[in-house]
Amino acid sequence: MSILLKGDKRLRVASIVGMGGIVKTTLAKEVYNRTQIRDKFDTRAWLYVSQDYKPMKIIKELILQ
C-alpha cells in the first residue's frame, strides 16, 4: 500500500507475484478495496489476467470499468 499511497505524481507499478494458491488475488483485492486507496484514485479497475490471457478482452474489460 505504501507504494500506491506515495505523494508524488510519478507512475508506479506494484506487482504481486508467486505460485498459484498463495492468496495473491485475496491480497490484491484487500488493498484495492481499502478506503485509503479508493479515496486516493479518481478511477480504478479490477481486472483478472490469467496465464492464457487475450489482450483485446483485457482492454475491453478495462474500458467497461
Side-chain angles (χ1 to χ4, degrees):
M1 282 187 44
S2 63
I3 292 170
L4 298 174
L5 294 173
K6 287 198 177 199
D8 62 33
K9 299 292 183 185
R10 292 185 298 167
L11 295 177
R12 290 183 167 43
V13 173
S15 300
I16 302 172
V17 297
M19 295 174 30
I22 62 168
V23 301
K24 296 179 302 290
T25 302
T26 303
L27 173 62
K29 193 73 165 179
E30 176 69 25
V31 170
Y32 179 83
N33 287 320
R34 286 281 176 113
T35 302
Q36 306 99 299
I37 298 298
R38 283 196 318 255
D39 292 347
K40 169 106 176 157
F41 297 95
D42 296 329
T43 305
R44 301 178 311 135
W46 179 261
L47 299 171
Y48 176 80
V49 181
S50 65
Q51 286 183 336
D52 59 339
Y53 68 94
K54 294 182 176 37
M56 286 306 294
K57 184 177 179 182
I58 293 171
I59 292 168
K60 286 178 186 177
E61 182 64 27
L62 184 60
I63 290 169
L64 289 173
Q65 289 194 38

